[in-house]
């Protein structure tokens, strides 16, 4: 599940050899500037050795390459995560302070904990430590790294301080000599004395994340960051729906840097996610600049609701791209009067910002996502939705279908209906009555112009039962069980006639 660095490197080398990729190794980009190529706004790249390259389009996939070092007195006394000693025995009987509360910090703390005297962790968590198994965001604290929580909460061997802004509280590190004559590192904030950190440390490790290295861009091509626009994920470049910089034409971002769109939500910052957004970028560039149709596109044999439903079901049963990049990538079905085109793994934002072709009768999309309360740990995940008629209450990852018609004002797709497939513990969605038939019926209703939502249908069924309650049922209360919508409870009404 978690391959070693050497294994991943071997995979990349094998991929490079197999596909015979044209890669110039040992070519460190030191400067990026604007260069006109004919009437095209291109780029000039200068290497650290003084060599030059020019290109019409530039894709930056350098990840977050520079460790974040806070403006903090004495921070040079800390070992950076990027160069810290990874041998457990290096921390034997030491007092270790870890700056940071992310996965890297907990990984470093866990390694030191194996032999250290004790480990202290300190940082700012913005509302408490977020566990990835609650938030469904793999960038939050993973269970594989959180062993220190046990030794803190259950054994009081180590400590975790989640409410210290190292820069905001003017924290600092300084060398000192203990009363016993031992050299150590003192930690403090605001010039005051905090008795919790009175003993000093043998080693301090800095694990405060990484930032985008934008210093190599000249001002004319320096990309705007999300923080400049007040957006979440401030350290990432601000992107259009096509992964292009919002302020530098023909500058695109791939890999971790494309995570601006789904930061704190989906998997675009990690290899199991950005492998799909990188492929989507390739397809977008081919479509936009070379006129090549979407690479993974096919014609369906029929526009019949059953045929379209089966095509969609095959994808939500098997697509790893939709599963990993939930809420970000979608499949699209372009329905015409006598034909339908199926496109795989298109960015949802691209669909929303693309002009609705006049030849289309309807646009259908399929994506995966959690329910409204199933993301970021806000929902009660102790039970699952079991009634088909309440599939829109599903909290775990499940397929979501949307239907669009052209907006009269903008010509862009306008959402007219949304439909949820009930969550499935086995994630196979292979039961005709639960998964396929309801989808087929929804497509048929949409074809007929019936955009009644699942909640509206549920409410209508409730009112039907309510209207047909007997006098005795109204007086004593009643429970009605519908085979499609589940149980409806009607409390007793005093004085009911």
């Amino acid at each position: 599940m978690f391959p070693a660095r050497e294994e991943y490197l071997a995979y990349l080398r094998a991929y490079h050899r197999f596909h015979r990729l044209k890669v110039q190794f040992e070519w460190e980009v030191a400067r990026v500037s604007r260069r006109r190529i004919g009437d095209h706004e291109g780029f000039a790249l200068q290497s650290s050795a003084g060599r030059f390259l020019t290109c019409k389009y530039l894709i930056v996939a350098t990840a977050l390459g520079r460790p974040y070092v806070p403006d903090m007195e004495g921070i040079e006394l800390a070992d950076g995560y990027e160069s810290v000693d990874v041998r457990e025995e290096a921390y034997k009987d030491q007092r270790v302070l870890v700056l940071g509360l992310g996965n890297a910090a907990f990984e470093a703390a866990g390694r030191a904990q194996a032999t250290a005297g004790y480990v202290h962790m300190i940082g700012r968590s913005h509302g408490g430590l977020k566990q990835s198994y609650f938030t469904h965001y793999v960038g939050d604290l993973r269970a594989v790294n959180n062993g220190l929580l046990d030794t803190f909460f259950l054994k009081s061997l180590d400590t975790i301080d989640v409410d210290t802004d190292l820069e905001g509280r003017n924290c600092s590190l300084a060398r000192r000599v203990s009363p016993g004559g031992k050299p150590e590192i003192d930690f403090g904030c605001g010039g005051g004395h905090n008795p919790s950190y009175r003993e000093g440390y043998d080693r301090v490790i800095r694990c405060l994340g990484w930032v985008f290295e934008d210093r190599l861009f000249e001002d004319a091509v320096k990309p705007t960051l999300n923080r400049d626009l007040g957006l979440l994920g401030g350290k990432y470049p601000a992107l259009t729906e096509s992964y292009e910089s919002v302020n530098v034409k023909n500058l695109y971002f791939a890999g971790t840097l494309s995570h601006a769109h789904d930061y704190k939500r989906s998997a675009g910052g990690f290899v199991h996610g950005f492998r799909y957004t990188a492929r989507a970028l390739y397809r977008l560039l081919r479509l936009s600049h070379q006129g090549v149709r979407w690479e993974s596109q096919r014609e369906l044999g029929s526009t019949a609701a059953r045929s379209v439903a089966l095509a969609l079901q095959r994808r939500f049963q098997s697509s790893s791209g939709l599963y990993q990049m939930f809420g970000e990538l979608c499949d699209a079905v372009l329905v015409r009067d006598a034909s339908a085109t199926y496109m795989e793994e298109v960015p949802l934002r691209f669909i929303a910002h693309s002009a609705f072709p006049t030849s289309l009768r309807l646009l259908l999309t399929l994506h995966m996502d959690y329910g409204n309360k199933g993301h970021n740990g806000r929902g009660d995940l102790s039970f699952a939705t079991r009634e088909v008629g309440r599939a829109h209450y599903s909290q775990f990852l499940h397929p979501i279908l949307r239907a669009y018609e052209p907006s009269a004002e903008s010509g862009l797709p306008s959402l007219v209906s949304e439909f949820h497939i009930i969550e499935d513990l086995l994630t196979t969605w292979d039961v005709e009555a639960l998964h396929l038939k309801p989808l087929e019926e929804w497509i048929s209703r949409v074809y007929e112009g019936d955009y009644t939502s699942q909640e509206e249908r549920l409410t209508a069924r409730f009112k039907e039962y309510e209207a047909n309650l007997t006098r005795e049922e109204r007086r004593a209360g009643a429970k009605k069980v519908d085979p499609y919508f589940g149980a409806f409870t009607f409390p007793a009404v005093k004085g009911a006639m």
Side-chain angles (χ1 to χ4, degrees):
M1 182 180 293
F2 300 100
R5 173 184 177 276
E6 293 76 15
E7 293 173 320
Y8 184 58
L9 186 58
Y11 160 74
L12 293 178
R13 286 171 174 158
Y15 190 92
H16 168 246
R17 289 194 303 269
F18 181 83
H19 291 282
R20 299 178 180 178
L21 300 179
K22 298 178 180 178
V23 179
Q24 291 198 35
F25 295 101
E26 306 300 328
W27 213 100
E28 180 186 14
V29 178
R31 202 71 179 162
V32 178
S33 58
R34 179 63 84 189
R35 174 69 60 85
R36 292 197 67 82
I37 302 174
D39 59 354
H40 190 93
E41 294 185 73
F43 303 89
L45 280 63
Q46 181 181 354
S47 77
S48 56
R51 292 180 290 173
F52 286 88
L53 282 176
T54 59
C55 58
K56 289 185 175 181
Y57 305 98
L58 178 61
I59 301 172
V60 179
T62 55
L64 301 171
R66 177 160 52 93
Y68 173 68
V69 181
D71 183 12
M72 174 179 165
E73 184 180 348
I75 191 63
E76 69 278 0
L77 300 178
D79 299 326
Y81 174 80
E82 65 278 8
S83 58
V84 73
D85 198 324
V86 298
R87 297 171 300 127
E88 292 182 355
E89 60 271 20
Y91 304 93
K92 183 174 177 59
D93 297 330
Q94 291 185 358
R95 293 169 294 181
V96 179
L97 174 65
V98 177
L99 306 179
L101 295 171
N103 277 299
F106 272 87
E107 175 195 313
R111 184 182 298 114
Q113 180 204 37
T115 60
Y118 60 73
V119 177
H120 289 177
M121 299 186 69
I122 189 168
R124 183 176 57 170
S125 63
H126 302 283
L129 287 176
K130 296 176 178 64
Q131 307 286 326
S132 62
Y133 47 75
F134 279 126
T135 66
H136 305 297
Y137 177 61
V138 294
D140 287 334
L141 183 58
R142 301 291 297 269
V144 70
N145 292 324
N146 69 7
L148 205 82
L149 294 178
D150 275 7
T151 58
F152 174 38
F153 289 113
L154 303 181
K155 300 181 181 300
S156 298
L157 293 177
D158 306 296
T159 64
I160 303 172
D161 180 343
V162 301
D163 195 30
T164 298
D165 182 344
L166 296 174
E167 291 181 308
R169 292 187 57 187
N170 194 26
C171 298
S172 63
L173 300 172
R175 294 192 185 279
R176 74 180 188 189
V177 177
S178 71
K182 180 182 178 182
E184 58 188 19
I185 300 174
D186 177 55
F187 172 79
C189 293
H193 176 67
N194 186 336
S196 297
Y197 306 103
R198 61 186 179 273
E199 293 190 355
Y201 300 93
D202 299 297
R203 189 189 297 254
V204 179
I205 305 174
R206 167 181 46 77
C207 304
L208 296 168
W210 306 78
V211 295
F212 171 48
E213 181 56 274
D214 62 352
R215 295 178 296 189
L216 54 86
F217 294 90
E218 290 190 350
D219 289 344
V221 291
K222 188 178 289 290
T224 294
L225 303 183
N226 269 0
R227 71 164 59 92
D228 301 324
L229 304 178
L231 300 176
L232 190 66
K235 61 187 176 181
Y236 292 96
L239 307 178
T240 70
E241 65 277 2
S242 302
Y243 304 107
E244 185 178 14
S245 169
V246 296
N247 69 306
V248 183
K249 187 177 181 181
N250 301 325
L251 176 62
Y252 295 85
F253 293 91
T256 296
L257 295 179
S258 65
H259 195 31
H261 282 327
D262 64 293
Y263 178 67
K264 286 294 182 183
R265 178 171 175 80
S266 197
F270 314 90
V271 65
H272 64 282
F274 66 61
R275 62 191 300 178
Y276 302 106
T277 57
R279 183 167 63 184
L281 171 59
Y282 166 76
R283 293 170 176 172
L284 285 168
L285 292 173
R286 297 259 289 171
L287 178 68
S288 301
H289 300 302
Q290 297 179 327
V292 178
R293 76 173 206 164
W294 194 257
E295 185 182 70
S296 187
Q297 174 179 318
R298 66 184 184 279
E299 298 301 314
L300 299 183
S302 168
T303 62
R306 178 79 178 181
S307 297
V308 175
L310 282 168
L312 290 164
Q313 183 192 38
R314 282 192 288 270
R315 287 289 295 161
F316 63 68
Q317 287 179 321
S318 62
S319 171
S320 55
L322 298 182
Y323 192 91
Q324 299 291 358
M325 288 307 301
F326 57 88
E328 293 299 316
L329 296 181
C330 72
D331 283 5
V333 184
L334 286 64
V335 183
R336 304 174 189 84
D337 288 336
S339 64
T341 302
Y342 200 107
M343 300 172 65
E344 296 181 3
E345 295 175 20
V346 186
L348 271 166
R349 285 178 177 80
F350 182 74
I351 291 290
H353 290 85
S354 297
F356 201 98
T358 56
S359 62
L360 289 193
R361 169 186 169 193
L362 192 70
L363 171 64
L364 303 177
T365 63
L366 157 68
H367 71 280
M368 309 287 284
D369 213 337
Y370 292 87
N372 290 334
K373 294 183 179 179
H375 200 273
N376 287 326
R378 293 190 296 268
D380 182 358
L381 302 182
S382 61
F383 65 93
T385 301
R386 295 185 176 87
E387 299 82 14
V388 178
R390 304 186 188 213
H392 56 301
Y393 290 167
S394 296
Q395 298 303 309
F396 203 68
L397 198 63
H398 63 282
I400 301 173
L401 289 300
R402 289 175 179 168
Y404 297 85
E405 290 185 345
S407 167
E409 292 77 22
S410 66
L412 297 176
S414 177
L415 179 65
V416 294
S417 183
E418 181 174 283
F419 186 78
H420 294 244
I421 304 294
I422 192 169
E423 58 192 344
D424 183 18
L425 180 64
L426 301 179
T427 64
T428 54
W429 292 284
D430 56 0
V431 180
E432 170 89 15
L434 297 179
H435 308 123
L436 181 59
K437 193 64 178 175
L439 173 57
E440 178 186 355
E441 292 171 349
W442 172 73
I443 295 173
S444 295
R445 291 196 300 271
V446 168
Y447 279 178
E448 295 168 1
D450 179 1
Y451 304 136
T452 306
S453 71
Q454 288 168 291
E455 183 64 20
E456 289 170 337
R457 288 169 56 82
L458 177 64
T459 300
R461 192 64 176 138
F462 173 85
K463 290 181 176 178
E464 286 180 25
Y465 278 108
E466 185 178 43
N468 290 295
L469 291 175
T470 66
R471 182 181 301 174
E472 181 58 33
E473 287 174 330
R474 293 179 185 276
R475 183 183 300 115
K479 181 177 182 180
K480 301 291 183 178
V481 179
D482 185 275
Y484 188 83
F485 292 100
F488 295 106
T489 301
F490 301 90
V493 179
K494 291 184 179 180
M497 298 296 292

